[in-house]
Amino acid sequence: MAVTKPDAKDEAGLDAGTLRELYRNMLRSRLLDERMWVLNRQGRAPFWISGMGHEAVQVAFGMNLRPGYDWIAPYYRDLALTLVLGMTPKDHLLSVLARADDPNSGGRQMPAHYGCHRLNIISTGSPVGTQLLHAAGLALASRMRGEDAVAFTSIGEGGTSEGDFHEALNFAATHRLAVLFVVENNGYAISVPWEKQMPTPDVADRATAYGIPGVVVDGGDAMACYRVAREATERARRGEGPTLVEAKVLRLTSHSSDDDQRRYRSLEVLEEEKQRDGVLRFRAQLEELGVLKPGDAEEMRAELVRELDRALDEAEAAPQPDPDTVLRHVYAEDR
Amino acid sequence: MAVTKPDAKDEAGLDAGTLRELYRNMLRSRLLDERMWVLNRQGRAPFWISGMGHEAVQVAFGMNLRPGYDWIAPYYRDLALTLVLGMTPKDHLLSVLARADDPNSGGRQMPAHYGCHRLNIISTGSPVGTQLLHAAGLALASRMRGEDAVAFTSIGEGGTSEGDFHEALNFAATHRLAVLFVVENNGYAISVPWEKQMPTPDVADRATAYGIPGVVVDGGDAMACYRVAREATERARRGEGPTLVEAKVLRLTSHSSDDDQRRYRSLEVLEEEKQRDGVLRFRAQLEELGVLKPGDAEEMRAELVRELDRALDEAEAAPQPDPDTVLRHVYAEDR
Amino acid sequence: MAQKTYLEAIRDGIREEMERDERVMILGEDVGAKGGVFGVTDGLQKQFGEWRVLDSPLAESCIVGVAIGAALNGMRPIAEIQFQDFIMPAVDQIISEAAKMRYRSNGDWGVPMVVRAPFGGGVHGALYHSQSIEAIFCHIPGLRVVVPSSPYDAKGMIIGALRDPDPVLYFEHKRAYRAIKGEVPDGEYTVPLDTANVVRSGDDIAVFTYGMMVHTALEAAERIAADGFECEVIDLRALRPLDRGAIVSSARKCGKVLVLQEANLAVSVASEVSAIIAEECFEHLDAPVMRLGGPEIPAMPYAPPLEHAYLITAEKVDKALRELAAY
Amino acid sequence: MAQKTYLEAIRDGIREEMERDERVMILGEDVGAKGGVFGVTDGLQKQFGEWRVLDSPLAESCIVGVAIGAALNGMRPIAEIQFQDFIMPAVDQIISEAAKMRYRSNGDWGVPMVVRAPFGGGVHGALYHSQSIEAIFCHIPGLRVVVPSSPYDAKGMIIGALRDPDPVLYFEHKRAYRAIKGEVPDGEYTVPLDTANVVRSGDDIAVFTYGMMVHTALEAAERIAADGFECEVIDLRALRPLDRGAIVSSARKCGKVLVLQEANLAVSVASEVSAIIAEECFEHLDAPVMRLGGPEIPAMPYAPPLEHAYLITAEKVDKALRELAAY
Ligand SMILES: Cc1ncc(C[n+]2csc(CCOP(=O)(O)OP(=O)(O)O)c2C)c(N)n1
Ligand SMILES: Cc1ncc(C[n+]2csc(CCOP(=O)(O)OP(=O)(O)O)c2C)c(N)n1
Ligand SMILES: [Mg+2]
Ligand SMILES: [Mg+2]
């Protein structure tokens, strides 16, 4: 099915169903993310670290990946990505409440340390940057078995200062491995602005160093993100090697629930960024395109909020980890 | 004084004295280096790692640096550089024979681990790549004190795969520090050819990633090296930031005295590289220019061999370290 | 004398030393406008400018490697690592470079650098914001490792560290930052980097410990004192080199020993203290040397029941002490 | 059974396991055409191709990080580090990632990877080609650390390591490669990764050691046997986890103990062995637990007189044993 208004600016050539799904995925993540903050502010969850403002590029890649076949080495802002791939709001509520059935880590790690074996989402730790090398190794193994699986990995622009960034790009490019390196550049590493982290504003410039394509995309433009994600994924799947994608995104919240960005960013800028929120922008675009009819967005939201309420009830009813399990899983139990 | 034949291809606009000095420095290093191999093959020195084929770029930079004012974080092939700056053949013979008076390390480190406090040559260890960050720190300190000293650092192309390479370039470029990053690309990391180390043949490509100039120079062309060294050094001294210089050099020997490159390189290529030796090329060039008159080169060599013989006699007469000193200098003795 | 928190004492020490010595500078993630994630460097960038309090890129090898270079060229840098857990990318620069610079140059070059990092758990920090990983550095000749437990020591030891000609790892227990208060003199003073400190005298059981566990040990010691057992609590403070003399003398005096730490036990500071006592106090011991430390799991989990299962509480220490007393 | 060198035994184990299991691969510097700087992987690239024996870039974090990723995706990689001294850039990937993957994922993900590296001195390798730095990994829950001392164990343990579901650090003493020969069975067998091995029985003094020091200990034991003292020599083999049962039983039996290693002593494997004995053998000891190890200097210097001053020779061990015997 073609887009309802093919003369409108749908550069990605996407059908209405895909566009709606893109929007729904973004909204679903946003609503869950907002709920996490509420839980934190209510004192029911000691910590949250948000993906608000980063959703579009994650959803775009998520919709182009094959869940359970492709490999994912994400970072802590990738809430939206994990939902697209098949994790559920309940999964993450179990995590933020540190319950035993949290599929990410059984309540062992801080929230937003994603992992799900069933979906080939490898377990994420806190050290920034290490996951990029894991992605190269994941892709190497697929390649050695002759599979066309791709490995997606993501990182903030701050994390690209770590040596592992260079080592991973260098290795993946040398062997033309199917790795999607996605940098979610929100301009800050906690309080440090990009100018103090790196000499040029665009991380994508570094692709030249590795002889691979580097793409900058507006991370608030869902359709552009989708197009870039599709191209990079197809390229990797065809065996043509890695792509470095840099999405310029907004960090619509403080770094985490432990941070207060008003200490180091001006209120005007923060206000202005709210206006550029990709979720709002995309809704307006879809309404203009007629993909969303009047009332559609509200209905979608209401349905998603119902899902969320149910998930929260279930998560809160779930048991905490048994203290006796603290010693388990240091080494394999079935050796 | 202008070059004797100003119409000849002296692109660097160098006077005859400078050109002779360039050649003499290269030859001096080469002769010492050859002697080291002889000592090793005679069983008098258990280890040597050579700079043969790398001399021109080192001498070119050495002659543009201010000994004892600028800072040097070298690597193990930088024999020629250290000689230009003021270390002596005897210094390094003391090191290869592991004598107590070795100024590099008092016989504690393997030979070719350079260091000389008087000349601001910091002590070099074996771990590849760490020195690049030291150079950034050396330059940072000079900058904070408002001095126009520059920091020179070098590395093989293999070492540029380490994370520290990226972290150092990134930091130095972000703060426009006066660092000269010199990559001596001989195409091999021990036995691993560049194609297995990196995706593109030119390390200098990576300068784009950091928004700084990247320069490729034929490391067998002494005059070209001189020009590049002068430009990069002046640029750094003017406060315009780092330059990434890549010299394409030849490794005219096995990796070290413990290696046999015939295991992994073809004899034809090895033969062919000998013909491209920069020391031979430069001599021919200077003779053509008339800078070296018939007999000059032989005379120079004879004088340098006499220096070398004397140095070796002195070094061999020097005492070994006293075993009782083994526990010294773990911590400062004058705290 | 003013009453200060542990955190304020560290900051005071740094600030005063920066005022006295132009060579002192700070390099680390978020140390500037934010003042560090815990606020230790709050206000320092404003006072000393952007160069001397420099927000680094997110790259720990860079932080330490640049600090080494700056130290070689006359500065006295503090390399701040945001959490001790994230010191790992800098291990090569610390162990291969800083620790060996003086030895390998036959005394010609030294690295007067301080690496600061918060460690320890009990703050819902989970696996990567709770670790106590100091042991790996305590194995390395050429390094000094210190852990103050009181505001007094915190200030005196940071000044001492900044004046030391060799690399010093200065680890701060993050739970102590605001929880521990004490008297801190104004102006300059130093606390040596190689002596332990007897914080409670007694002659029944010697308890060797450091960091927040000093306070836990004191609490447990008071409990058991009610039953007539007097513990000597020794704050090791200097983890490398250890104060062998102080360890041997308290162990001999008491004859019974508990070595206590939050860190994992295997191949740790507690192992070394225990080994020293086994070597030197054979004829003075009345019971096996007992160790109490973190369970053998990678680090503290997030969920409160699991985190609590890891933590060493005064109850657990009390129980261990009573076992020893009964031996 | 054939007589093989330690090096051949390692290579045989790897080759056979690669023939049996397609998932086994090698990633490291110079492992291909050159066969590694010591020749351990000689011929393997020819047999198994360039992917399964992959020359890596000069980047240790890359080697281990990529191996972790490959292990998560079904492979059984060997990450070869050229010298143990150069493992430092990979410490973050080993300690923060490989060691914690299973625990942090609540058992969902494991890292069946083997990190191999040559260690030890006495080969004129100077500060960075002589180190014995295994202690820092022995502190880390989630890792296994093994050091074979005989060709038999070398083969059996490399096969065992490759079949283990968790990350194993397999350290090879570089002086053993060609110097140590012994019987090695053809075909597959495994040696457990968590048991010590009594290589000489005796009941006067128990000597706990590993690596090349096993051979030095045996030599010293023969000397002192001439004077009627029978040493029990225990090759620890498994450094993490240690075989607590074997340690306690030999220590109790002999009543006198020497813990011997080439590595620096402070906060080391020797400290832990000593601490275990102090904990569990109090009532059985007839002398202080003695430790003998490398002096407290960063590493072995290059000049022969200095290198020799570091090395632990049979004479030094003999002297220590006689001191203990006389106690
Ligand atoms: C190795 C390491 N160092 C430091 C930290 C602490 N830390 C966590 S997130 C963060 C900033 C990350 O910035 P960026 O990569 O830009 O990602 P963003 O949070 O902006 O999405 C820091 C310093 C860490 N987790 N790991
Ligand atoms: C961190 C580290 N890893 C490995 C080594 C072992 N090693 C020494 S030199 C070398 C190859 C270096 O190649 P390159 O950087 O190209 O320099 P070249 O020797 O060719 O001049 C290797 C692998 C080392 N010294 N340090
Ligand atoms: Mg960011
Ligand atoms: Mg090279």
Side-chain angles (χ1 to χ4, degrees):
Chain A
M1 181 178 40
V3 182
T4 16
K5 280 188 181 176
D7 52 332
K9 43 180 150 89
D10 167 26
E11 307 166 48
L14 300 176
D15 63 39
T18 305
L19 290 173
R20 279 179 69 99
E21 201 188 329
L22 242 173
Y23 177 69
R24 186 177 182 278
N25 279 322
M26 285 170 65
L27 185 62
R28 187 162 174 246
S29 180
R30 176 64 61 91
L31 291 171
L32 174 58
D33 207 327
E34 285 172 350
R35 186 67 62 95
M36 297 301 202
W37 283 96
V38 171
L39 291 172
N40 173 261
R41 292 315 185 217
Q42 289 172 338
R44 289 151 82 191
F47 182 80
W48 180 240
I49 187 161
S50 186
M52 287 199 230
H54 289 227
E55 293 93 344
V57 66
Q58 295 174 24
V59 170
F61 272 94
M63 287 174 65
N64 279 285
L65 293 167
R66 301 190 193 158
Y69 179 70
D70 291 331
W71 289 86
I72 319 291
Y75 94 119
Y76 48 83
R77 299 215 189 272
D78 286 348
L79 179 67
L81 173 73
T82 68
L83 293 176
V84 179
L85 291 172
M87 296 192 80
T88 66
K90 182 179 165 188
D91 289 343
H92 297 317
L93 287 160
L94 287 167
S95 169
V96 87
L97 299 172
R99 302 304 156 123
D101 293 336
D102 157 30
N104 296 288
S105 78
R108 289 175 167 207
Q109 293 210 81
M110 290 179 124
H113 285 56
Y114 300 111
C116 181
H117 207 135
R118 178 175 59 88
L119 296 169
N120 283 358
I121 302 173
I122 70 165
S123 164
T124 321
S126 306
V128 162
T130 50
Q131 72 275 20
L132 273 52
L133 283 164
H134 303 165
L138 292 164
L140 175 66
S142 295
R143 157 83 169 257
M144 286 176 69
R145 288 194 303 263
E147 297 162 0
D148 70 349
V150 308
F152 168 98
T153 188
S154 57
I155 190 166
E157 89 295 339
T160 70
S161 300
E162 290 280 5
D164 278 4
F165 172 83
H166 166 59
E167 297 191 14
L169 271 282
N170 189 54
F171 187 85
T174 298
H175 295 290
R176 297 171 71 86
L177 299 175
V179 186
L180 306 169
F181 292 102
V182 177
V183 177
E184 304 181 21
N185 184 346
N186 59 20
Y188 281 84
I190 308 187
S191 72
V192 184
W194 71 264
E195 309 94 81
K196 291 215 171 166
Q197 303 173 36
M198 56 179 89
T200 78
D202 295 334
V203 174
D205 286 349
R206 302 190 201 162
T208 314
Y210 311 105
I212 61 170
V215 186
V216 179
V217 64
D218 175 357
D221 180 341
M223 288 196 253
C225 287
Y226 192 92
R227 193 182 60 242
V228 166
R230 191 171 54 194
E231 279 173 23
T233 310
E234 286 175 359
R235 185 172 181 278
R237 214 179 290 289
R238 285 194 307 267
E240 292 167 26
T243 302
L244 175 59
V245 174
E246 175 183 15
K248 305 285 193 186
V249 299
L250 302 173
R251 196 183 80 188
L252 293 175
T253 63
S254 285
H255 172 73
S256 75
S257 56
D258 287 343
D259 178 42
D260 179 1
Q261 63 179 339
R262 290 170 304 184
R263 274 183 73 89
Y264 52 84
R265 297 185 70 187
S266 83
L267 292 179
E268 298 87 76
V269 171
L270 294 179
E271 243 346 285
E272 180 264 333
E273 288 198 347
K274 274 193 202 148
Q275 309 309 315
R276 291 196 283 130
D277 178 355
V279 177
L280 296 180
R281 275 169 66 192
F282 195 38
R283 173 176 168 171
Q285 225 177 339
L286 293 185
E287 289 180 339
E288 216 203 309
L289 286 168
V291 171
L292 287 180
K293 306 272 180 305
D296 274 8
E298 284 73 19
E299 201 179 299
M300 209 183 260
R301 164 184 288 266
E303 173 228 321
L304 290 170
V305 168
R306 278 193 302 275
E307 176 196 42
L308 196 47
D309 290 340
R310 223 173 20 244
L312 181 55
D313 288 345
E314 289 174 21
E316 288 202 298
Q320 299 214 330
D322 177 346
D324 290 345
T325 61
V326 74
L327 300 179
R328 291 188 57 187
H329 302 307
V330 179
Y331 299 97
E333 297 183 347
D334 48 347
R335 15 184 12 95
Chain B
M1 184 178 36
V3 182
T4 14
K5 280 190 181 174
D7 53 332
K9 43 180 152 89
D10 167 26
E11 307 165 49
L14 301 176
D15 62 40
T18 305
L19 290 172
R20 279 180 70 98
E21 200 189 329
L22 242 172
Y23 177 70
R24 186 175 182 280
N25 279 322
M26 285 170 66
L27 185 62
R28 188 163 175 243
S29 181
R30 176 63 61 90
L31 292 170
L32 174 59
D33 206 328
E34 284 171 351
R35 186 66 62 95
M36 297 301 201
W37 282 96
V38 171
L39 291 172
N40 174 262
R41 293 313 184 218
Q42 290 173 337
R44 290 150 83 192
F47 182 80
W48 180 240
I49 187 161
S50 187
M52 286 199 229
H54 289 228
E55 293 94 343
V57 67
Q58 294 174 24
V59 170
F61 272 95
M63 288 174 65
N64 279 285
L65 293 167
R66 302 190 192 159
Y69 179 69
D70 291 332
W71 290 86
I72 319 291
Y75 95 120
Y76 48 83
R77 300 216 189 271
D78 287 348
L79 180 67
L81 173 73
T82 66
L83 293 176
V84 179
L85 292 172
M87 295 192 81
T88 66
K90 181 178 166 190
D91 288 343
H92 296 318
L93 286 161
L94 288 167
S95 169
V96 87
L97 299 172
R99 302 303 156 124
D101 292 337
D102 157 30
N104 296 287
S105 78
R108 290 176 168 207
Q109 293 209 80
M110 291 178 122
H113 285 57
Y114 300 112
C116 181
H117 207 133
R118 178 175 59 88
L119 296 169
N120 283 358
I121 302 173
I122 69 166
S123 163
T124 320
S126 305
V128 162
T130 50
Q131 73 274 20
L132 273 52
L133 283 164
H134 303 164
L138 292 165
L140 175 66
S142 295
R143 158 82 169 257
M144 286 176 70
R145 289 195 302 264
E147 297 162 0
D148 70 350
V150 308
F152 168 98
T153 188
S154 58
I155 189 166
E157 90 295 339
T160 70
S161 299
E162 290 279 5
D164 278 5
F165 172 83
H166 167 59
E167 297 191 16
L169 270 283
N170 190 53
F171 187 85
T174 299
H175 294 291
R176 297 171 71 84
L177 299 176
V179 186
L180 307 170
F181 291 102
V182 177
V183 177
E184 303 182 20
N185 184 346
N186 58 20
Y188 280 84
I190 308 188
S191 71
V192 184
W194 70 264
E195 310 93 84
K196 291 214 171 165
Q197 304 172 35
M198 56 179 88
T200 78
D202 295 335
V203 174
D205 287 350
R206 303 191 202 162
T208 315
Y210 310 105
I212 61 170
V215 186
V216 179
V217 64
D218 175 356
D221 181 341
M223 288 195 252
C225 287
Y226 193 92
R227 193 181 61 242
V228 166
R230 190 171 55 192
E231 278 173 24
T233 309
E234 285 175 1
R235 186 173 181 277
R237 213 178 292 287
R238 285 194 305 268
E240 292 168 26
T243 301
L244 175 59
V245 173
E246 175 183 16
K248 305 287 192 186
V249 299
L250 302 174
R251 196 184 79 188
L252 293 175
T253 64
S254 286
H255 172 72
S256 75
S257 55
D258 288 343
D259 179 40
D260 178 2
Q261 63 180 339
R262 290 168 304 182
R263 275 184 74 89
Y264 52 83
R265 297 183 72 187
S266 83
L267 292 178
E268 296 88 75
V269 171
L270 294 179
E271 243 348 283
E272 180 265 332
E273 288 198 348
K274 274 193 203 148
Q275 308 311 315
R276 291 196 283 128
D277 179 355
V279 176
L280 296 180
R281 274 169 68 192
F282 195 37
R283 173 176 168 171
Q285 225 178 339
L286 293 185
E287 289 178 340
E288 214 202 310
L289 286 168
V291 170
L292 287 180
K293 306 273 179 304
D296 274 9
E298 285 72 19
E299 200 179 301
M300 211 183 258
R301 164 184 288 264
E303 172 228 321
L304 290 170
V305 169
R306 279 193 300 275
E307 175 195 43
L308 197 48
D309 290 340
R310 222 171 23 242
L312 182 55
D313 287 345
E314 289 175 20
E316 288 203 296
Q320 297 215 330
D322 178 346
D324 289 347
T325 61
V326 74
L327 300 178
R328 290 188 58 189
H329 301 308
V330 179
Y331 299 97
E333 297 183 347
D334 50 345
R335 10 187 14 96
Chain C
M1 266 202 295
Q3 192 77 5
K4 300 231 160 123
T5 64
Y6 183 84
L7 185 146
E8 288 162 346
I10 301 170
R11 189 199 294 137
D12 280 5
I14 296 173
R15 182 194 289 114
E16 290 175 18
E17 200 64 6
M18 288 184 81
E19 285 166 350
R20 278 187 294 265
D21 185 348
E22 278 214 323
R23 300 170 304 171
V24 177
M25 59 171 295
I26 305 173
L27 180 67
E29 295 157 14
D30 302 289
V31 295
K34 189 172 163 74
V37 289
F38 292 100
V40 176
T41 57
D42 195 24
L44 297 182
Q45 189 178 62
K46 218 165 179 176
Q47 185 176 351
F48 298 104
E50 298 211 358
W51 282 111
R52 286 184 69 198
V53 183
L54 191 57
D55 276 320
S56 75
L58 205 179
E60 289 75 12
S61 189
C62 173
I63 295 170
V64 175
V66 166
I68 290 172
L72 292 169
N73 187 359
M75 304 301 287
R76 295 265 166 171
I78 297 176
E80 177 174 315
I81 301 294
Q82 201 157 74
F83 289 85
Q84 198 197 40
D85 318 57
F86 303 134
I87 204 167
M88 296 300 162
V91 156
D92 189 35
Q93 288 285 355
I94 296 171
I95 293 184
S96 303
E97 298 293 327
K100 295 181 176 56
M101 190 67 76
R102 189 179 298 283
Y103 192 79
R104 81 186 186 203
S105 68
N106 206 23
D108 260 5
W109 293 98
V111 181
M113 163 186 74
V114 178
V115 178
R116 283 183 41 241
F119 78 105
V123 297
H124 311 312
L127 269 76
Y128 295 98
H129 302 79
S130 305
Q131 290 172 43
S132 299
I133 194 70
E134 49 281 359
I136 67 174
F137 301 105
C138 297
H139 178 57
I140 307 297
L143 298 179
R144 290 184 179 279
V145 182
V146 300
V147 176
S149 73
S150 70
Y152 181 91
D153 284 357
K155 179 174 171 183
M157 292 184 105
I158 191 70
I159 298 177
L162 283 166
R163 296 181 183 181
D164 195 273
D166 290 307
V168 180
L169 308 195
Y170 178 100
F171 294 132
E172 308 158 9
H173 200 292
K174 64 177 81 72
R175 207 144 51 84
Y177 278 143
R178 297 193 150 76
I180 304 299
K181 295 194 180 68
E183 301 274 289
V184 177
D186 290 333
E188 67 183 303
Y189 66 94
T190 61
V191 169
L193 306 181
D194 53 5
T195 63
N197 187 20
V198 178
V199 292
R200 185 186 197 283
S201 288
D203 46 26
D204 294 321
I205 302 177
V207 184
F208 297 99
T209 188
Y210 63 93
M212 270 309 273
M213 284 296 111
V214 171
H215 304 283
T216 311
L218 287 171
E219 198 187 323
E222 288 312 313
R223 293 192 191 195
I224 197 172
D227 295 312
F229 291 97
E230 291 301 337
C231 291
E232 177 140 310
V233 178
I234 300 92
D235 178 1
L236 293 166
R237 247 180 0 185
L239 304 189
R240 177 173 188 99
L242 281 164
D243 185 347
R244 219 179 156 92
I247 292 169
V248 169
S249 118
S250 288
R252 288 190 177 167
K253 177 169 104 179
C254 297
K256 292 184 177 182
V257 171
L258 175 68
V259 194
L260 174 68
Q261 68 186 18
E262 193 177 311
N264 298 121
L265 281 179
V267 189
S268 69
V269 173
S271 319
E272 181 63 24
V273 172
S274 192
I276 289 171
I277 294 168
E279 251 156 28
E280 307 226 12
C281 311
F282 179 67
E283 290 169 10
H284 303 77
L285 289 181
D286 304 317
V289 180
M290 187 185 270
R291 289 184 294 166
L292 179 59
E296 284 294 297
I297 61 178
M300 230 170 273
Y302 185 63
L306 300 178
E307 185 183 56
H308 189 77
Y310 186 110
L311 281 176
I312 294 154
T313 56
E315 291 75 43
K316 290 184 193 167
V317 178
D318 186 50
K319 194 166 152 275
L321 291 173
R322 282 173 204 275
E323 236 180 86
L324 261 180
Y327 189 89
Chain D
M1 266 201 296
Q3 192 78 2
K4 301 232 159 122
T5 64
Y6 184 83
L7 184 147
E8 288 162 345
I10 301 171
R11 188 199 295 137
D12 281 4
I14 295 174
R15 182 194 289 115
E16 290 176 17
E17 199 63 6
M18 287 185 82
E19 285 166 351
R20 279 187 294 266
D21 186 347
E22 279 214 322
R23 300 171 304 171
V24 177
M25 59 172 292
I26 305 173
L27 181 67
E29 296 156 13
D30 302 289
V31 295
K34 188 173 163 75
V37 289
F38 292 99
V40 175
T41 57
D42 195 24
L44 298 182
Q45 189 179 61
K46 218 165 180 176
Q47 184 175 352
F48 299 104
E50 298 211 357
W51 282 111
R52 285 184 71 197
V53 183
L54 191 58
D55 276 321
S56 74
L58 204 180
E60 289 74 13
S61 189
C62 173
I63 294 171
V64 175
V66 166
I68 290 172
L72 291 170
N73 188 1
M75 304 301 287
R76 295 265 167 172
I78 297 176
E80 177 174 316
I81 301 294
Q82 201 158 72
F83 289 85
Q84 198 197 40
D85 317 59
F86 304 134
I87 204 167
M88 296 300 162
V91 157
D92 190 35
Q93 288 286 354
I94 296 171
I95 293 184
S96 302
E97 296 294 326
K100 295 179 176 58
M101 189 66 76
R102 189 179 298 283
Y103 192 80
R104 81 185 185 203
S105 67
N106 206 22
D108 260 6
W109 293 96
V111 181
M113 163 186 74
V114 178
V115 179
R116 283 183 42 240
F119 78 105
V123 298
H124 311 312
L127 269 76
Y128 296 98
H129 301 79
S130 306
Q131 290 173 44
S132 299
I133 194 71
E134 50 279 0
I136 67 174
F137 301 106
C138 296
H139 178 56
I140 307 297
L143 299 179
R144 290 184 181 279
V145 182
V146 299
V147 177
S149 73
S150 70
Y152 181 91
D153 283 358
K155 179 173 172 184
M157 292 183 105
I158 191 69
I159 298 177
L162 282 166
R163 295 181 184 182
D164 196 274
D166 290 307
V168 180
L169 307 195
Y170 178 100
F171 294 132
E172 307 159 10
H173 201 291
K174 62 176 81 73
R175 206 145 51 85
Y177 278 143
R178 298 193 150 76
I180 305 298
K181 296 193 180 67
E183 301 275 289
V184 178
D186 290 332
E188 66 183 304
Y189 68 93
T190 60
V191 169
L193 306 181
D194 53 5
T195 62
N197 187 22
V198 178
V199 292
R200 184 186 199 283
S201 287
D203 46 26
D204 294 322
I205 302 177
V207 184
F208 298 100
T209 188
Y210 62 94
M212 271 308 275
M213 285 295 111
V214 171
H215 304 284
T216 311
L218 286 172
E219 197 187 323
E222 288 312 315
R223 295 192 188 196
I224 196 172
D227 295 312
F229 291 96
E230 291 301 337
C231 290
E232 176 139 313
V233 178
I234 299 94
D235 178 2
L236 292 166
R237 248 180 357 186
L239 303 189
R240 175 170 191 101
L242 282 164
D243 184 348
R244 218 179 157 91
I247 293 169
V248 170
S249 116
S250 289
R252 287 190 178 168
K253 177 169 104 178
C254 298
K256 292 183 177 183
V257 171
L258 175 69
V259 195
L260 174 67
Q261 68 185 18
E262 191 176 314
N264 298 120
L265 281 179
V267 189
S268 69
V269 173
S271 319
E272 182 62 24
V273 172
S274 191
I276 289 172
I277 294 168
E279 253 158 26
E280 306 226 12
C281 310
F282 177 67
E283 289 168 10
H284 304 78
L285 289 181
D286 304 317
V289 181
M290 189 186 269
R291 290 183 291 167
L292 179 60
E296 285 293 299
I297 61 177
M300 229 170 273
Y302 184 63
L306 300 178
E307 185 183 58
H308 189 76
Y310 185 110
L311 281 176
I312 295 154
T313 56
E315 292 74 44
K316 290 184 194 169
V317 178
D318 185 50
K319 193 165 154 274
L321 290 173
R322 282 173 203 275
E323 236 180 86
L324 261 179
Y327 190 89

